[in-house]
Amino acid sequence: MLMRTDPFRELDRLAQQLMGPGTWSRPSAMPMDAYRDGDQYVIAFDLPGIDPDALDVDVERNMLTVKAERRPLPRSENAQTELSERPLGVFSRQLVLADTLDTEQISADYEAGVLTLRIPIAERAKPRKISVNAGGDRKELDS
């Protein structure tokens, strides 16, 4: 038998039990980090214990949706639960992406329980130099 002494963990566990696991119609939130790294945005979602086949990443227009489902581990009929803290059910997160991101080039990797999305900045949004022509120095092009 496992023993714990953290009363705040117990309150979190009770709140999770009252709310129940996330469902497809009412998913739980998933923690994430987002940052810019050079010419791309990186978004990392914590999804430990999720089967890669249970991940769904979708982008429609500028709305990015990430859904995942954690199912219970198979157990024998004689197994008795002593402690259950790992949340089960459906997790989801939606983000509105800026028009300056290239949603056609999103890459996704899942390793060590972290889903990492890399979204490049669109070429049209990158800074560029504009050449300025002096009034009389304009040349005509031959057709």
Side-chain angles (χ1 to χ4, degrees):
M1 180 166 174
L2 301 175
M3 302 296 282
R4 293 182 311 139
T5 59
D6 184 355
F8 297 107
R9 283 249 182 205
E10 189 64 19
L11 287 174
D12 288 343
R13 185 185 65 76
L14 289 172
Q16 181 68 26
Q17 282 180 339
L18 290 174
M19 293 174 27
T23 63
W24 285 106
S25 61
R26 201 181 88 180
S28 299
M30 64 181 78
M32 63 170 247
D33 290 335
Y35 56 93
R36 182 173 177 167
D37 184 10
D39 285 344
Q40 65 182 350
Y41 274 90
V42 180
I43 306 171
F45 299 92
D46 274 352
L47 296 167
I50 302 288
D51 186 316
D53 293 334
L55 291 172
D56 182 35
V57 180
D58 184 32
V59 65
E60 183 177 339
R61 294 190 185 136
N62 287 2
M63 179 67 70
L64 174 72
T65 303
V66 177
K67 285 189 178 182
E69 183 175 10
R70 181 181 297 129
R71 298 175 184 101
L73 295 173
R75 299 179 185 165
S76 72
E77 291 179 18
N78 299 329
Q80 292 180 325
T81 301
E82 295 288 329
L83 182 65
S84 180
E85 292 183 338
R86 299 175 65 228
L88 300 174
V90 179
F91 304 87
S92 180
R93 195 77 183 244
Q94 285 190 313
L95 302 170
V96 177
L97 302 177
D99 289 332
T100 57
L101 299 177
D102 187 353
T103 59
E104 298 293 322
Q105 302 297 321
I106 296 175
S107 67
D109 296 302
Y110 183 65
E111 183 178 343
V114 178
L115 173 65
T116 303
L117 303 179
R118 297 181 189 285
I119 310 168
I121 295 174
E123 288 297 321
R124 67 181 182 280
K126 292 180 183 175
R128 60 190 181 282
K129 289 284 188 187
I130 307 294
S131 62
V132 177
N133 295 323
D137 291 345
R138 189 173 282 182
K139 294 183 180 179
E140 293 293 323
L141 298 175
D142 293 329
S143 305

